[in-house]
Amino acid sequence: RYKTPAFLQQALYRLMEQYRQNRGKLPCFEKALLVIDEHCNIDNRQIYDQDNKGYKAIPNAIKGILVPDDDQFTLGLALLSTLDEQPSCHIYVLPAEEASEFFALRDGQYGIFL
């Protein structure tokens, strides 16, 4: 019933290819963490349940490009929701070993944001 739209996955491929053409090489991680942080509020959200969203297009688009594969040991996945008046989606791909620093920064445990 809830299927990832093909245009979303194609758009991700095009964005990565444009990045390669304009800026050079994309990073490739042996082990990575993919963090998808949806910003919305009760009024502007479009889909209520996390499992009904099109997030699966993102790991599918980056496998073989940013990570060797997207098995459960190569690519970790964190789905986050942030209450925000401006709907948006923030996507991060980072080395798995930097996950604790990422979440410490996100939670404000460090005094300064970089």
Side-chain angles (χ1 to χ4, degrees):
R1 180 174 159 186
Y2 294 98
K3 195 173 180 183
T4 301
F7 76 87
L8 179 58
Q9 194 163 338
Q10 292 165 359
L12 292 168
Y13 281 121
R14 280 196 311 273
L15 285 169
M16 286 188 290
E17 189 55 35
Q18 286 175 357
Y19 183 88
R20 270 194 237 187
Q21 290 174 2
N22 295 328
R23 301 197 182 222
K25 188 176 178 183
L26 287 168
C28 188
F29 305 102
E30 286 184 35
K31 291 184 76 172
L33 175 64
L34 170 62
V35 180
I36 302 170
D37 187 5
E38 178 189 23
H39 289 233
C40 64
N41 64 25
I42 301 297
D43 295 328
N44 63 29
R45 70 180 175 192
Q46 295 183 8
I47 300 173
Y48 179 72
D49 293 327
Q50 292 284 27
D51 61 333
N52 295 334
K53 297 178 181 177
Y55 73 86
K56 295 174 194 146
I58 300 166
N60 287 339
I62 67 173
K63 67 182 177 181
I65 298 172
L66 300 181
V67 293
D69 199 351
D70 64 7
D71 65 61
Q72 68 191 57
F73 303 108
T74 302
L75 182 63
L77 175 64
L79 298 175
L80 309 176
S81 296
T82 300
L83 194 58
D84 197 337
E85 294 298 315
Q86 180 65 40
S88 63
C89 186
H90 300 221
I91 301 170
Y92 307 90
V93 181
L94 55 135
E97 64 269 10
E98 293 182 11
S100 60
E101 288 87 359
F102 173 85
F103 287 107
L105 279 170
R106 184 180 188 275
D107 291 338
Q109 294 177 13
Y110 292 126
I112 187 167
F113 282 97
L114 304 174

